[in-house]
Amino acid sequence: MKATYEAVVGIECHVELKTRTKMFCGCANAFGSEPNTNVCPVCLALPGALPVPNGVAIEQTVRAGLAFGARIPAYSKFDRKNYFYPDMPKNYQISQYDMPLVQGGEVRYWLEDGTMKRCPLVRIHLEEDTGKSTHAGSGDGRIAGSLYSLVDFNRAGVPLMECVSEPALHSAADAVAYLASLRRTLMELGVSDVKMEEGSLRCDANVSVRLAGEAALGTKTEIKNMNSFRSVQRAIESEVDRQISLLERGERVVQETRGWDEANGVTHPMRSKEQAHDYRYFPDPDLVPLEIAGDDVERLRVGLPELPWERFERYTRAFGLGSKQATQLIDTPSLARYFDRVVNASSNPQQSANFVLGELSRLANDSGVAVADSKAEPEGVAELIVLVEARTVNSKIAKELLERMWRNGGSPKAIVEDEGLAQTNDADEIENLVEGVIAAHASVVADYRAGKSNVIGFLIGQAMKASRSKADPQLVSELMKKRLR
Amino acid sequence: MKLVDRSAFDVARDVNARRLSAREVTDAALAQADAVDGQVGAYLRVEYDLARAAAARVDARIASGERLALAGVPLAVKDNMCVIGTRTTCASRILEHWTAPYTATAVQRMLDAGCIPIGKANLDEFAMGSSCENSALGVTRNPYDLSRVPGGSSGGSAAAVAAREAAIGMGSDTGGSIREPGAFCNLVGFKPTYGRVSRYGLIAFASSLDQIGPLTRTVRDAAMAYDVMSGHDPMDSTSLPRAVEPASRALPTDLRGLRVGIVREFDLQALAPAMRTIYERAYAELESLGAALVDVSLPTVDYGVATYYLIAPAECSANLARFDGVRYGLRVDAADVGTMYEQTRAQGFGPEVKRRVLIGTYALSSGYYDAYYVRAQKARTLAAKDFAVAFGACDIIASPATSCPPFTLGAKSDPYSMYLMDYYTIPMSLAGVPALSVPCGWVREAQADLPLGLQLAAPHFAEPLLLGAAHAYEQATGYSARVSPAAAGSATGIEEPA
Amino acid sequence: MSEKINVRYVAKLARIALTDDEVDRFGAQLAVLLEHVEALGKLDVGAVPATAQVLELANVTRDDKPAPCLDRDTVLGQAPRTQGAFVRVPRILAE
Ligand SMILES: [Mg+2]
Ligand SMILES: [Zn+2]
């Protein structure tokens, strides 16, 4: 019975930092350059070249740690992790072993229904990325069966932050929600692009299962090759099912690394513990220790932005937004900041959310310009919300105004005044319009009276048109119905 | 005095004064290399074009009114330092055909100051050795006795300077690799404080110990070279950011007021009687120059060799991992990448390099790390503390530089006996303190006069004091003045050793 | 702390192919060295901190400022085997 088992999942994320240059040399840290152009003696490990760490990368890692409420030890250092791989030029990776820059902390994340949860972190450390190998000769680009590999060293030496969670997630949904929160936080901090499709966010999952209520952890497997949140979800679900079936059959889970096969929806063994590496970590003698002063830590802590879960609580509790809308806003930090300005000026969070996630996001989608980068100022949008709320303009005019603001900016109030677009609420004037329409469409009126009630829409439309859309549609409808009765 | 006999100081002075052109000095050095290097084997390659182009540039700069600290001084560069456009081999098959696309900072500083790169000098492969016999690419002989080794690992640079094929040799010292060949070739061999000279472009052996320094025929030349090559380099994280106090300005001629520590644990009784006599005389000479000899102790000094032969191999096992046949250097083709690595490294590295990579890999491997590597690091802490305490009681320390005079080629076949060659020099490397060897006399062995060196060491950053003391000693004793037979014989040819 | 070194395992980690002969020879030589190294066991290092670097330096970092890269022809010109703009290596059997 599956219900008697509990999944235990820990997530290890590798996050490429968005610095201008690489971790230990001045080569550009850029995605998508021509192969083997962003390389120098240092990142290519030419004989005699030496590493010098990127101060910004260190600071960004500390900021990430602080965002998660972690401890920044006073002393930290870089170590060499030794293993041979063709896209790792030195055949050791400069990483951090026993004294990472960041210890502890927790990621607060929320589920779709808005439930807030916490997952403790073990550590965050800073290391360098490897180059990229393309496996050729097998037709499918996979390493298995390939005849040779082609190496591009542009990525070698890009700063990489490794975030390791405690095994404290208990479902695939939790794992994905955790990842989403981690991702949002790093985006909010501006330290990474966190794009799984470009590899700037990569993650592995440690998965085990145990009988519910048991304290000891089961044997874990490590799942690799998950390329999207969806594949993380599917891979963990599939692996948990596999492990449970093994146990139910009385078999054993083998500790091993398994790859996620997206096409077939299963994990498959990659290497077992028996082939595990002997990494021979030792302090890198080319580098000196890091001693992060308390003052610097405080300065960075004070400079932290509002964090996603804080924002989520504010949106859902103070603003009363639904979990879905709140999450949508938070998922794009620039959108959330824009939204905050709209709310600030309109004092109407719900309408602000509707506008920002509705019309404005549609315009952004159509134009390929982010809302925050459009000409529509948040203060203008707020003005528009006030106009709509006061029924000074109707929704159709509002939409037109928004489109104009998107292209040219400007104050909707001014446009409305200049062009006389204010909604007509004058009952006499609207009554005249209604009379005119009824007079002009006698046969339709007859149809209505004969019971074809749906033709009223046409009549209302004609009245609106006659008002150049300025009439209050609600009032038009009321008066039309009254007159036809 | 022939042109090639001139010190760097004399050459620079005369080239700056336009009494001499860099071109003339260069031609003389190249001619000397042509005449003697067939026997000495100091250079792996003489860089004729590079040298002449550099000479032309220096002459042009002098003509335009510039003054250069080392104008026209012929330089031998150990072949583990990158010089753009030259092959830089580490005397290894694995880099035999590799051309460096950049220049080491220390070398660049020497070239910018007017040095003429005559050639790339032989060494023990990847600087691992004490005799220069571990070179995969050539044999270097001691200019004072061609049947003997020049010392190592900077043996080529030392032999080049002793044979008058250069005035300054650039060496690197990890556990004695400048001081020991300095002593064996009757030169001043100077290892500055760790971190004083940039390691950028020096092909690493053991990163926490490697230090570049000069080999010269006079202390003044060493001081001049040090003044030029030292100083902060942002490309090397371990480069000291503090300002360098020039050492060549004021060199004293006596040692009045100087407390010279004689290390209790370095028992001269352990040396052959002829050597013991030399060092007893050397200490007396220091005293006669006004120094006060004081008894100091380095309690853990006997653990130096063991400490060093764990730390240095551990670091080298990682440093040399980059030689894998992927991006440059030798590749032995194979069907899969793992076999390619293993065959490339099997064929590319010589036995001493393999030995050290293996021992270092072992010392770091799972289950042995604490027992070997960490224990050695702790022993290193004690070694550094020893010096800190000793330097509370003295200003410099004097000791033998080597435990024996230059030996004949092939005499030491057992690796461990070769490791013991560094007994006197390793402790200073572990502590990172500056140390040098300065000629202190001759022992007669098998009808040959063999040079010996006195090692002097000082606290961190006390290079001016150290060089000053060595200068006073050298000026008073004059042992360094004796010209090597190989250099002197250049006009008449040299007999092949038996 | 001494025991017989598994030279083959160590050579595998170091990625150096050894002949049987070399395994024996290096094994014997390393054993001699380790015997001498055993002496360190006599040092009382219990409370002694480990020294990785004798320098008293910390926090040496670089500004996040771009520096020139190597020219690609130079990079590829050094590589024993290339294909197009890439460095080519034989097939990779396992990670
Ligand atoms: Mg990692
Ligand atoms: Zn680079």
Side-chain angles (χ1 to χ4, degrees), chain A residues 22 24-28 38-44 156, chain C residues 68-69:
Chain A
K22 292 188 182 181
F24 296 108
C25 66
C27 288
N38 297 336
V39 290
C40 73
V42 177
C43 57
L44 212 53
Chain C
C69 292

Side-chain angles (χ1 to χ4, degrees), chain B residues 64 206 256-257 259 333 428 469:
Chain B
S64 76
R256 267 176 302 194
R259 296 169 302 162
D333 263 314
M428 291 73 181

